Amino acid sequence: MSDNKHPIKKVNIICAKGNIEDIYATLVLGNGAVMEGIEANLFFTFFGLEGIVKKWMKKPHTAVIGNPAMRMPSLMGVIPGVEAMVSSMMRKEMDKLDVPPIDEFLELFTAGGGKVYACKLAMDMFKIKEEELTEYVSGILTVGDFYELAGGEGSQIIFT
Amino acid sequence: MATKNYAGVTVNVNEEGYFTDPSQWNKEIATEVAKEEGIDLTDQHFEVLIMLRQKNDAGEALSIRGINKSGVVDVKSFYQLFPGAPLKKATKIAGIPKPVSCV
């Protein structure tokens, strides 16, 4: 099933988009890694900051316009309340599957030894201060710092 | 089907070493399975193993979130008790099937 000679030892996951599904893809991959004993770093940048800024992470949203997989006419998405309703439905469905809310997911991930980082440039751009980030963030990185962190044999960079 | 011998008892296991019949499990067997995984079982380990077996008996899907909420162990200690791949190791030692959950 697997190539045992070259196991993945570390994953470095970049989350640059802020839709529910982008943030959760990052969290599921990251948490799945630590549960397999793989070292994991999450790097939240640009709209991905949605997942680690306290005032935004409680209610993540999804795109209903220009998202063909939503299987509904994009025009419906302009109706007030539709986007909020769809996003809320998605959050509820995930909860039923025991997928935790973002802050709880980050708690599980960091308890398992995973690390969470914020992108300095994106924070400057969105004028986010360090104290606005969730407590689970262990540092603010430049792109150079990120590459340094991602180094090592059996390390992979994943862009969600 | 494969079998393995633990503590003088022959148990049925699958190709990954997980028990196919949880009723064949006992504490002596668990201790030997744990040794294979490089873990010396303590009372705290057994509390977790028993909780996992109870959840499995109840037909509950095992997830790291469920373990955190169990009240028996928090996630951080769970990772410390079963280092490496905690849920995989713990279920193997508990004599129950490997969990299929992604969270």
Side-chain angles (χ1 to χ4, degrees):
Chain A
M1 182 173 136
S2 64
D3 176 359
N4 288 326
K5 271 180 275 175
H6 302 97
I8 294 178
K9 292 182 188 154
K10 175 157 80 173
V11 288
N12 310 275
I13 306 169
I14 303 170
C15 180
K17 287 170 281 176
N19 292 315
I20 293 181
E21 62 274 23
D22 302 311
I23 294 170
Y24 273 95
T26 306
L27 294 171
V28 171
L29 284 167
N31 188 60
V34 294
M35 283 185 64
E36 295 294 318
I38 298 169
E39 189 184 340
N41 296 311
L42 306 184
F43 185 61
F44 289 86
T45 183
F46 286 90
F47 294 107
L49 285 180
E50 182 96 5
I52 53 169
V53 171
K54 279 184 272 189
K55 63 182 173 193
W56 295 333
M57 62 192 284
K58 297 231 162 30
K59 273 195 178 173
H61 287 259
T62 193
V64 287
I65 296 182
N67 181 357
M70 198 54 78
R71 311 248 163 228
M72 67 178 224
S74 265
L75 205 54
M76 277 178 70
V78 303
I79 301 167
V82 167
E83 189 272 350
M85 189 192 73
V86 170
S87 300
S88 150
M89 268 170 59
M90 257 173 90
R91 291 194 296 264
K92 273 187 200 140
E93 287 301 314
M94 288 196 297
D95 191 60
K96 275 190 218 159
L97 290 171
D98 218 16
V99 179
I102 295 177
D103 55 347
E104 191 186 333
F105 219 153
L106 288 173
E107 182 197 337
L108 296 175
F109 171 73
T110 51
K115 292 273 194 276
V116 181
Y117 298 97
C119 165
K120 184 172 185 311
L121 180 62
M123 284 179 63
D124 291 347
M125 200 180 120
F126 290 111
K127 302 199 169 33
I128 296 296
K129 295 192 201 76
E130 194 170 351
E131 55 268 27
E132 290 178 85
L133 299 175
T134 159
E135 61 190 291
Y136 302 110
V137 174
S138 45
I140 299 167
L141 306 183
T142 64
V143 64
D145 299 331
F146 172 74
Y147 281 127
E148 204 173 301
L149 194 78
E153 195 201 321
S155 179
Q156 298 281 338
I157 293 179
I158 302 169
F159 201 97
T160 60
Chain B
M1 192 190 293
T3 57
K4 274 194 109 165
N5 201 291
Y6 291 112
V9 183
T10 303
V11 297
N12 299 324
V13 294
N14 70 8
E15 62 282 358
E16 287 184 293
Y18 287 83
F19 284 42
T20 51
D21 181 1
S23 71
Q24 291 178 320
W25 185 89
N26 65 37
K27 286 195 173 183
E28 289 72 41
I29 291 175
T31 306
E32 292 207 359
V33 182
K35 274 207 187 104
E36 283 187 351
E37 299 291 329
I39 298 172
D40 280 325
L41 294 183
T42 61
D43 288 348
Q44 206 191 349
H45 284 102
F46 277 111
E47 274 180 43
V48 175
L49 295 176
I50 296 207
M51 176 264 293
L52 291 174
R53 287 179 60 83
Q54 282 166 348
K55 280 181 183 284
N56 182 65
D57 283 348
E60 206 177 306
L62 296 173
S63 70
I64 197 86
R65 188 189 196 192
I67 286 160
N68 202 31
K69 285 181 175 170
S70 67
V72 173
V73 67
D74 63 27
V75 171
K76 208 166 193 165
S77 321
F78 184 56
Y79 274 91
Q80 281 159 0
L81 289 171
F82 302 94
L87 198 51
K88 273 164 90 179
K89 279 191 186 174
T91 47
K92 195 178 208 175
I93 299 168
I96 55 177
K98 183 174 162 183
V100 288
S101 160
C102 279
V103 285

mmCIF file of all heavy atoms in Angstrom, chain A residues 31 35 98 100-101 103-112 136, chain B residues 48 51-52 55 60-79 87 103:
data_model
loop_
_atom_site.group_PDB
_atom_site.id
_atom_site.type_symbol
_atom_site.label_atom_id
_atom_site.label_comp_id
_atom_site.label_asym_id
_atom_site.label_seq_id
_atom_site.Cartn_x
_atom_site.Cartn_y
_atom_site.Cartn_z
ATOM 1 N N ASN A 31 -4.557 17.648 11.239
ATOM 2 C CA ASN A 31 -4.878 16.793 12.383
ATOM 3 C C ASN A 31 -4.645 15.322 12.033
ATOM 4 O O ASN A 31 -4.133 14.559 12.843
ATOM 5 C CB ASN A 31 -6.334 17.028 12.801
ATOM 6 C CG ASN A 31 -6.671 16.319 14.079
ATOM 7 O OD1 ASN A 31 -6.061 16.572 15.105
ATOM 8 N ND2 ASN A 31 -7.604 15.391 14.012
ATOM 9 N N MET A 35 -2.116 12.681 14.007
ATOM 10 C CA MET A 35 -2.652 11.403 14.490
ATOM 11 C C MET A 35 -1.890 10.210 13.938
ATOM 12 O O MET A 35 -1.972 9.110 14.478
ATOM 13 C CB MET A 35 -4.136 11.293 14.142
ATOM 14 C CG MET A 35 -4.980 12.126 15.070
ATOM 15 S SD MET A 35 -6.722 11.914 14.778
ATOM 16 C CE MET A 35 -6.933 10.205 15.193
ATOM 17 N N ASP A 98 -19.220 14.845 13.563
ATOM 18 C CA ASP A 98 -18.212 14.974 14.616
ATOM 19 C C ASP A 98 -17.003 15.775 14.151
ATOM 20 O O ASP A 98 -15.902 15.618 14.666
ATOM 21 C CB ASP A 98 -17.770 13.598 15.134
ATOM 22 C CG ASP A 98 -17.542 13.622 16.635
ATOM 23 O OD1 ASP A 98 -18.008 14.575 17.274
ATOM 24 O OD2 ASP A 98 -16.893 12.702 17.154
ATOM 25 N N PRO A 100 -15.229 19.029 14.441
ATOM 26 C CA PRO A 100 -15.359 20.102 15.421
ATOM 27 C C PRO A 100 -15.323 21.499 14.809
ATOM 28 O O PRO A 100 -14.824 21.667 13.702
ATOM 29 C CB PRO A 100 -14.159 19.893 16.336
ATOM 30 C CG PRO A 100 -13.211 19.030 15.602
ATOM 31 C CD PRO A 100 -13.947 18.333 14.511
ATOM 32 N N PRO A 101 -15.831 22.503 15.540
ATOM 33 C CA PRO A 101 -15.654 23.888 15.108
ATOM 34 C C PRO A 101 -14.157 24.219 15.042
ATOM 35 O O PRO A 101 -13.344 23.511 15.648
ATOM 36 C CB PRO A 101 -16.327 24.709 16.207
ATOM 37 C CG PRO A 101 -17.077 23.759 17.044
ATOM 38 C CD PRO A 101 -16.547 22.391 16.805
ATOM 39 N N ASP A 103 -12.072 26.400 16.394
ATOM 40 C CA ASP A 103 -11.223 26.567 17.580
ATOM 41 C C ASP A 103 -10.975 25.239 18.289
ATOM 42 O O ASP A 103 -9.866 24.959 18.741
ATOM 43 C CB ASP A 103 -11.779 27.633 18.535
ATOM 44 C CG ASP A 103 -13.213 27.369 18.948
ATOM 45 O OD1 ASP A 103 -13.861 26.505 18.315
ATOM 46 O OD2 ASP A 103 -13.690 28.010 19.892
ATOM 47 N N GLU A 104 -12.009 24.389 18.329
ATOM 48 C CA GLU A 104 -11.833 23.084 18.967
ATOM 49 C C GLU A 104 -10.886 22.209 18.138
ATOM 50 O O GLU A 104 -10.062 21.456 18.679
ATOM 51 C CB GLU A 104 -13.190 22.401 19.110
ATOM 52 C CG GLU A 104 -13.126 21.172 19.989
ATOM 53 C CD GLU A 104 -14.449 20.400 20.013
ATOM 54 O OE1 GLU A 104 -15.514 21.008 19.807
ATOM 55 O OE2 GLU A 104 -14.395 19.176 20.229
ATOM 56 N N PHE A 105 -10.993 22.329 16.819
ATOM 57 C CA PHE A 105 -10.126 21.559 15.924
ATOM 58 C C PHE A 105 -8.658 21.972 16.149
ATOM 59 O O PHE A 105 -7.758 21.137 16.208
ATOM 60 C CB PHE A 105 -10.529 21.818 14.470
ATOM 61 C CG PHE A 105 -10.468 20.592 13.594
ATOM 62 C CD1 PHE A 105 -11.287 20.489 12.475
ATOM 63 C CD2 PHE A 105 -9.594 19.543 13.877
ATOM 64 C CE1 PHE A 105 -11.248 19.372 11.653
ATOM 65 C CE2 PHE A 105 -9.541 18.417 13.062
ATOM 66 C CZ PHE A 105 -10.368 18.340 11.948
ATOM 67 N N LEU A 106 -8.443 23.274 16.276
ATOM 68 C CA LEU A 106 -7.081 23.761 16.516
ATOM 69 C C LEU A 106 -6.570 23.290 17.868
ATOM 70 O O LEU A 106 -5.390 22.984 18.027
ATOM 71 C CB LEU A 106 -7.034 25.293 16.437
ATOM 72 C CG LEU A 106 -7.170 25.884 15.030
ATOM 73 C CD1 LEU A 106 -7.269 27.402 15.104
ATOM 74 C CD2 LEU A 106 -5.999 25.483 14.137
ATOM 75 N N GLU A 107 -7.476 23.192 18.844
ATOM 76 C CA GLU A 107 -7.088 22.705 20.158
ATOM 77 C C GLU A 107 -6.622 21.241 20.064
ATOM 78 O O GLU A 107 -5.567 20.864 20.592
ATOM 79 C CB GLU A 107 -8.282 22.812 21.121
ATOM 80 C CG GLU A 107 -7.967 22.369 22.533
ATOM 81 C CD GLU A 107 -9.224 22.080 23.361
ATOM 82 O OE1 GLU A 107 -10.297 22.607 23.021
ATOM 83 O OE2 GLU A 107 -9.108 21.322 24.330
ATOM 84 N N LEU A 108 -7.400 20.416 19.343
ATOM 85 C CA LEU A 108 -7.045 19.003 19.182
ATOM 86 C C LEU A 108 -5.711 18.880 18.444
ATOM 87 O O LEU A 108 -4.846 18.094 18.817
ATOM 88 C CB LEU A 108 -8.126 18.266 18.378
ATOM 89 C CG LEU A 108 -9.519 18.169 18.989
ATOM 90 C CD1 LEU A 108 -10.489 17.519 18.014
ATOM 91 C CD2 LEU A 108 -9.496 17.401 20.292
ATOM 92 N N PHE A 109 -5.575 19.693 17.399
ATOM 93 C CA PHE A 109 -4.368 19.639 16.564
ATOM 94 C C PHE A 109 -3.122 20.041 17.351
ATOM 95 O O PHE A 109 -2.103 19.345 17.320
ATOM 96 C CB PHE A 109 -4.575 20.573 15.362
ATOM 97 C CG PHE A 109 -3.352 20.796 14.521
ATOM 98 C CD1 PHE A 109 -2.868 19.804 13.685
ATOM 99 C CD2 PHE A 109 -2.676 22.022 14.553
ATOM 100 C CE1 PHE A 109 -1.734 20.012 12.903
ATOM 101 C CE2 PHE A 109 -1.551 22.233 13.778
ATOM 102 C CZ PHE A 109 -1.074 21.226 12.951
ATOM 103 N N THR A 110 -3.207 21.129 18.106
ATOM 104 C CA THR A 110 -2.031 21.585 18.843
ATOM 105 C C THR A 110 -1.754 20.684 20.056
ATOM 106 O O THR A 110 -0.600 20.485 20.415
ATOM 107 C CB THR A 110 -2.169 23.062 19.293
ATOM 108 O OG1 THR A 110 -3.421 23.223 19.962
ATOM 109 C CG2 THR A 110 -2.122 24.007 18.125
ATOM 110 N N ALA A 111 -2.810 20.098 20.641
ATOM 111 C CA ALA A 111 -2.596 19.154 21.750
ATOM 112 C C ALA A 111 -1.799 17.947 21.262
ATOM 113 O O ALA A 111 -1.060 17.328 22.015
ATOM 114 C CB ALA A 111 -3.923 18.705 22.337
ATOM 115 N N GLY A 112 -1.952 17.631 19.989
ATOM 116 C CA GLY A 112 -1.214 16.518 19.401
ATOM 117 C C GLY A 112 0.177 16.901 18.942
ATOM 118 O O GLY A 112 0.873 16.096 18.326
ATOM 119 N N TYR A 136 -3.975 29.544 19.732
ATOM 120 C CA TYR A 136 -3.293 28.347 19.236
ATOM 121 C C TYR A 136 -2.181 28.660 18.236
ATOM 122 O O TYR A 136 -1.457 27.775 17.803
ATOM 123 C CB TYR A 136 -4.305 27.370 18.621
ATOM 124 C CG TYR A 136 -5.357 26.967 19.626
ATOM 125 C CD1 TYR A 136 -6.676 27.389 19.505
ATOM 126 C CD2 TYR A 136 -4.997 26.207 20.737
ATOM 127 C CE1 TYR A 136 -7.621 27.048 20.451
ATOM 128 C CE2 TYR A 136 -5.931 25.867 21.694
ATOM 129 C CZ TYR A 136 -7.240 26.296 21.541
ATOM 130 O OH TYR A 136 -8.165 25.957 22.502
ATOM 131 N N VAL B 48 -7.989 4.166 29.606
ATOM 132 C CA VAL B 48 -8.266 4.595 28.232
ATOM 133 C C VAL B 48 -8.702 3.405 27.387
ATOM 134 O O VAL B 48 -9.680 3.482 26.627
ATOM 135 C CB VAL B 48 -7.021 5.279 27.617
ATOM 136 C CG1 VAL B 48 -7.268 5.625 26.150
ATOM 137 C CG2 VAL B 48 -6.637 6.513 28.404
ATOM 138 N N MET B 51 -12.226 2.463 28.171
ATOM 139 C CA MET B 51 -13.150 3.451 27.606
ATOM 140 C C MET B 51 -13.324 3.211 26.098
ATOM 141 O O MET B 51 -14.435 3.238 25.574
ATOM 142 C CB MET B 51 -12.593 4.853 27.900
ATOM 143 C CG MET B 51 -13.354 6.003 27.316
ATOM 144 S SD MET B 51 -12.699 6.605 25.751
ATOM 145 C CE MET B 51 -11.132 7.296 26.242
ATOM 146 N N LEU B 52 -12.219 2.956 25.399
ATOM 147 C CA LEU B 52 -12.289 2.709 23.953
ATOM 148 C C LEU B 52 -13.117 1.463 23.657
ATOM 149 O O LEU B 52 -13.929 1.451 22.732
ATOM 150 C CB LEU B 52 -10.882 2.542 23.366
ATOM 151 C CG LEU B 52 -10.004 3.786 23.325
ATOM 152 C CD1 LEU B 52 -8.596 3.426 22.859
ATOM 153 C CD2 LEU B 52 -10.588 4.858 22.414
ATOM 154 N N LYS B 55 -16.800 2.254 24.138
ATOM 155 C CA LYS B 55 -17.325 3.034 23.014
ATOM 156 C C LYS B 55 -17.533 2.123 21.805
ATOM 157 O O LYS B 55 -18.517 2.227 21.082
ATOM 158 C CB LYS B 55 -16.356 4.159 22.636
ATOM 159 C CG LYS B 55 -16.465 5.387 23.543
ATOM 160 C CD LYS B 55 -15.474 6.449 23.077
ATOM 161 C CE LYS B 55 -15.477 7.665 23.966
ATOM 162 N NZ LYS B 55 -16.630 8.547 23.752
ATOM 163 N N GLU B 60 -20.135 3.176 18.833
ATOM 164 C CA GLU B 60 -19.767 4.573 18.610
ATOM 165 C C GLU B 60 -18.527 4.656 17.718
ATOM 166 O O GLU B 60 -17.568 3.912 17.940
ATOM 167 C CB GLU B 60 -19.447 5.188 19.980
ATOM 168 C CG GLU B 60 -19.647 6.672 20.073
ATOM 169 C CD GLU B 60 -19.375 7.153 21.501
ATOM 170 O OE1 GLU B 60 -19.983 6.615 22.451
ATOM 171 O OE2 GLU B 60 -18.546 8.046 21.645
ATOM 172 N N ALA B 61 -18.542 5.558 16.725
ATOM 173 C CA ALA B 61 -17.354 5.738 15.886
ATOM 174 C C ALA B 61 -16.298 6.466 16.712
ATOM 175 O O ALA B 61 -16.588 7.460 17.364
ATOM 176 C CB ALA B 61 -17.714 6.548 14.645
ATOM 177 N N LEU B 62 -15.091 5.942 16.694
ATOM 178 C CA LEU B 62 -14.042 6.545 17.516
ATOM 179 C C LEU B 62 -13.390 7.705 16.791
ATOM 180 O O LEU B 62 -12.998 7.590 15.639
ATOM 181 C CB LEU B 62 -12.986 5.494 17.851
ATOM 182 C CG LEU B 62 -13.477 4.337 18.708
ATOM 183 C CD1 LEU B 62 -12.402 3.280 18.823
ATOM 184 C CD2 LEU B 62 -13.885 4.829 20.074
ATOM 185 N N SER B 63 -13.283 8.824 17.478
ATOM 186 C CA SER B 63 -12.590 9.973 16.905
ATOM 187 C C SER B 63 -11.794 10.636 18.009
ATOM 188 O O SER B 63 -12.067 10.439 19.188
ATOM 189 C CB SER B 63 -13.595 10.976 16.316
ATOM 190 O OG SER B 63 -14.311 11.592 17.369
ATOM 191 N N ILE B 64 -10.828 11.426 17.613
ATOM 192 C CA ILE B 64 -9.996 12.106 18.590
ATOM 193 C C ILE B 64 -10.845 13.095 19.397
ATOM 194 O O ILE B 64 -10.621 13.325 20.572
ATOM 195 C CB ILE B 64 -8.786 12.786 17.895
ATOM 196 C CG1 ILE B 64 -7.697 13.143 18.885
ATOM 197 C CG2 ILE B 64 -9.172 14.000 17.088
ATOM 198 C CD1 ILE B 64 -6.746 12.030 19.162
ATOM 199 N N ARG B 65 -11.876 13.629 18.747
ATOM 200 C CA ARG B 65 -12.767 14.559 19.435
ATOM 201 C C ARG B 65 -13.544 13.840 20.534
ATOM 202 O O ARG B 65 -13.698 14.334 21.649
ATOM 203 C CB ARG B 65 -13.754 15.154 18.428
ATOM 204 C CG ARG B 65 -14.584 16.254 18.988
ATOM 205 C CD ARG B 65 -15.680 16.652 18.025
ATOM 206 N NE ARG B 65 -16.263 17.934 18.362
ATOM 207 C CZ ARG B 65 -17.374 18.387 17.822
ATOM 208 N NH1 ARG B 65 -18.011 17.674 16.913
ATOM 209 N NH2 ARG B 65 -17.844 19.557 18.163
ATOM 210 N N GLY B 66 -14.022 12.641 20.225
ATOM 211 C CA GLY B 66 -14.780 11.852 21.181
ATOM 212 C C GLY B 66 -13.929 11.488 22.386
ATOM 213 O O GLY B 66 -14.418 11.455 23.522
ATOM 214 N N ILE B 67 -12.660 11.229 22.144
ATOM 215 C CA ILE B 67 -11.756 10.884 23.243
ATOM 216 C C ILE B 67 -11.545 12.088 24.151
ATOM 217 O O ILE B 67 -11.541 11.981 25.368
ATOM 218 C CB ILE B 67 -10.435 10.334 22.679
ATOM 219 C CG1 ILE B 67 -10.696 8.929 22.175
ATOM 220 C CG2 ILE B 67 -9.313 10.361 23.710
ATOM 221 C CD1 ILE B 67 -9.732 8.417 21.207
ATOM 222 N N ASN B 68 -11.414 13.253 23.534
ATOM 223 C CA ASN B 68 -11.235 14.488 24.305
ATOM 224 C C ASN B 68 -12.444 14.746 25.205
ATOM 225 O O ASN B 68 -12.321 15.261 26.310
ATOM 226 C CB ASN B 68 -11.026 15.661 23.342
ATOM 227 C CG ASN B 68 -10.327 16.828 23.993
ATOM 228 O OD1 ASN B 68 -9.523 16.649 24.896
ATOM 229 N ND2 ASN B 68 -10.630 18.036 23.540
ATOM 230 N N LYS B 69 -13.630 14.382 24.694
ATOM 231 C CA LYS B 69 -14.865 14.634 25.446
ATOM 232 C C LYS B 69 -15.189 13.520 26.437
ATOM 233 O O LYS B 69 -16.141 13.628 27.201
ATOM 234 C CB LYS B 69 -16.042 14.752 24.467
ATOM 235 C CG LYS B 69 -16.087 16.063 23.700
ATOM 236 C CD LYS B 69 -17.296 16.052 22.806
ATOM 237 C CE LYS B 69 -17.501 17.350 22.080
ATOM 238 N NZ LYS B 69 -18.546 17.183 21.041
ATOM 239 N N SER B 70 -14.433 12.424 26.390
ATOM 240 C CA SER B 70 -14.779 11.243 27.183
ATOM 241 C C SER B 70 -14.701 11.480 28.682
ATOM 242 O O SER B 70 -15.345 10.789 29.459
ATOM 243 C CB SER B 70 -13.842 10.091 26.823
ATOM 244 O OG SER B 70 -12.523 10.402 27.245
ATOM 245 N N GLY B 71 -13.877 12.452 29.085
ATOM 246 C CA GLY B 71 -13.697 12.690 30.521
ATOM 247 C C GLY B 71 -12.653 11.760 31.128
ATOM 248 O O GLY B 71 -12.266 11.930 32.279
ATOM 249 N N VAL B 72 -12.191 10.784 30.350
ATOM 250 C CA VAL B 72 -11.198 9.843 30.869
ATOM 251 C C VAL B 72 -9.785 10.379 30.652
ATOM 252 O O VAL B 72 -8.912 10.237 31.503
ATOM 253 C CB VAL B 72 -11.377 8.457 30.189
ATOM 254 C CG1 VAL B 72 -10.248 7.509 30.578
ATOM 255 C CG2 VAL B 72 -12.720 7.857 30.551
ATOM 256 N N VAL B 73 -9.587 10.993 29.507
ATOM 257 C CA VAL B 73 -8.251 11.474 29.159
ATOM 258 C C VAL B 73 -8.394 12.675 28.229
ATOM 259 O O VAL B 73 -9.321 12.728 27.431
ATOM 260 C CB VAL B 73 -7.446 10.325 28.488
ATOM 261 C CG1 VAL B 73 -8.015 9.942 27.138
ATOM 262 C CG2 VAL B 73 -5.965 10.644 28.371
ATOM 263 N N ASP B 74 -7.494 13.668 28.370
ATOM 264 C CA ASP B 74 -7.533 14.750 27.385
ATOM 265 C C ASP B 74 -6.588 14.396 26.231
ATOM 266 O O ASP B 74 -5.818 13.445 26.318
ATOM 267 C CB ASP B 74 -7.206 16.107 28.022
ATOM 268 C CG ASP B 74 -5.809 16.166 28.585
ATOM 269 O OD1 ASP B 74 -4.933 15.437 28.093
ATOM 270 O OD2 ASP B 74 -5.568 16.945 29.523
ATOM 271 N N VAL B 75 -6.694 15.171 25.160
ATOM 272 C CA VAL B 75 -5.959 14.795 23.953
ATOM 273 C C VAL B 75 -4.445 14.802 24.163
ATOM 274 O O VAL B 75 -3.740 13.919 23.698
ATOM 275 C CB VAL B 75 -6.344 15.725 22.785
ATOM 276 C CG1 VAL B 75 -5.454 15.499 21.579
ATOM 277 C CG2 VAL B 75 -7.777 15.451 22.385
ATOM 278 N N LYS B 76 -3.990 15.789 24.909
ATOM 279 C CA LYS B 76 -2.556 15.897 25.125
ATOM 280 C C LYS B 76 -2.016 14.646 25.831
ATOM 281 O O LYS B 76 -1.008 14.068 25.416
ATOM 282 C CB LYS B 76 -2.258 17.148 25.961
ATOM 283 C CG LYS B 76 -0.900 17.706 25.691
ATOM 284 C CD LYS B 76 -0.796 19.111 26.261
ATOM 285 C CE LYS B 76 0.461 19.764 25.695
ATOM 286 N NZ LYS B 76 0.456 21.192 25.913
ATOM 287 N N SER B 77 -2.701 14.217 26.890
ATOM 288 C CA SER B 77 -2.251 13.015 27.604
ATOM 289 C C SER B 77 -2.401 11.776 26.729
ATOM 290 O O SER B 77 -1.597 10.854 26.811
ATOM 291 C CB SER B 77 -3.059 12.799 28.873
ATOM 292 O OG SER B 77 -3.330 13.999 29.501
ATOM 293 N N PHE B 78 -3.452 11.776 25.906
ATOM 294 C CA PHE B 78 -3.667 10.633 25.018
ATOM 295 C C PHE B 78 -2.467 10.455 24.079
ATOM 296 O O PHE B 78 -1.966 9.348 23.878
ATOM 297 C CB PHE B 78 -4.958 10.849 24.235
ATOM 298 C CG PHE B 78 -5.354 9.708 23.349
ATOM 299 C CD1 PHE B 78 -5.512 8.430 23.870
ATOM 300 C CD2 PHE B 78 -5.590 9.902 22.002
ATOM 301 C CE1 PHE B 78 -5.895 7.370 23.056
ATOM 302 C CE2 PHE B 78 -5.973 8.858 21.178
ATOM 303 C CZ PHE B 78 -6.119 7.587 21.709
ATOM 304 N N TYR B 79 -1.986 11.564 23.530
ATOM 305 C CA TYR B 79 -0.808 11.512 22.653
ATOM 306 C C TYR B 79 0.426 11.064 23.435
ATOM 307 O O TYR B 79 1.301 10.398 22.897
ATOM 308 C CB TYR B 79 -0.540 12.877 22.012
ATOM 309 C CG TYR B 79 -1.324 13.115 20.731
ATOM 310 C CD1 TYR B 79 -2.569 13.724 20.763
ATOM 311 C CD2 TYR B 79 -0.801 12.754 19.494
ATOM 312 C CE1 TYR B 79 -3.281 13.961 19.597
ATOM 313 C CE2 TYR B 79 -1.506 12.979 18.328
ATOM 314 C CZ TYR B 79 -2.748 13.585 18.379
ATOM 315 O OH TYR B 79 -3.447 13.806 17.228
ATOM 316 N N LEU B 87 -4.392 6.923 18.163
ATOM 317 C CA LEU B 87 -5.660 6.201 18.051
ATOM 318 C C LEU B 87 -5.446 4.815 17.427
ATOM 319 O O LEU B 87 -6.079 3.837 17.818
ATOM 320 C CB LEU B 87 -6.657 7.029 17.228
ATOM 321 C CG LEU B 87 -8.123 6.650 17.350
ATOM 322 C CD1 LEU B 87 -8.582 6.564 18.795
ATOM 323 C CD2 LEU B 87 -9.004 7.630 16.597
ATOM 324 N N VAL B 103 -11.368 12.245 11.453
ATOM 325 C CA VAL B 103 -11.130 13.241 12.497
ATOM 326 C C VAL B 103 -11.090 12.559 13.856
ATOM 327 O O VAL B 103 -11.041 13.124 14.862
ATOM 328 C CB VAL B 103 -12.187 14.377 12.496
ATOM 329 C CG1 VAL B 103 -11.924 15.321 11.358
ATOM 330 C CG2 VAL B 103 -13.587 13.827 12.418
#
